[in-house]
Amino acid sequence: MHRIALITLAALLTTACASSKRVVVDKQGIDEAQYQQDLTDCRAVADEVSTGRDAAEGAAGGAVIGGILGAIFGNSGTAGRMAGGGAVIGAAGKAGDAEQEKSQVVKNCMRGRGYRVLN
């Protein structure tokens, strides 16, 4: 259970982090130096989205749910393992949500600066 949860967490975080860094714009007629500066600025704005707090909240919620389910369907050992797995999965889900929000902030920021965002 722990290995599966950790693999799931790693996959979700890798996918989420990659999505916030990828912005596809139509670069026709775009000054590349200005584009890079605007992208850097927009990513800095997106960094204001809190991923750590969201992940911690998800971990706490997942641990509670996992612990309850483990206690209902098993024993105290099962409850502990389920709480740990729930914490990992909950943290991954919330961190992924926050990374999605960051990605949207970057795209909105770039649109606001006049770029035609394609993704």
Side-chain angles (χ1 to χ4, degrees):
M1 174 69 176
H2 289 289
R3 284 186 181 156
I4 293 170
L6 290 174
I7 290 168
T8 302
L9 172 65
L12 286 171
L13 291 178
T14 300
T15 302
C17 291
S19 68
S20 70
K21 293 180 181 175
R22 187 163 181 251
V23 177
V24 179
V25 301
D26 181 358
K27 291 189 179 180
Q28 184 176 0
I30 300 290
D31 176 337
E32 185 64 28
Q34 185 61 50
Y35 167 77
Q36 290 300 326
Q37 182 60 51
D38 288 339
L39 185 58
T40 298
D41 292 347
C42 288
R43 285 182 175 156
V45 170
D47 283 341
E48 294 177 22
V49 174
S50 173
T51 54
R53 185 186 72 234
D54 290 346
E57 289 172 2
V64 169
I65 292 169
I68 290 170
L69 291 174
I72 291 170
F73 296 110
N75 56 31
S76 62
T78 303
R81 287 190 300 276
M82 293 288 286
V88 170
I89 292 169
K94 284 292 193 172
D97 292 347
E99 286 299 326
Q100 283 293 99
E101 185 178 350
K102 277 186 170 187
S103 177
Q104 194 60 49
V105 168
V106 171
K107 291 173 186 176
N108 289 342
C109 179
M110 293 297 283
R111 283 186 190 102
R113 291 175 184 227
Y115 294 94
R116 213 171 115 217
V117 178
L118 304 175
N119 65 336

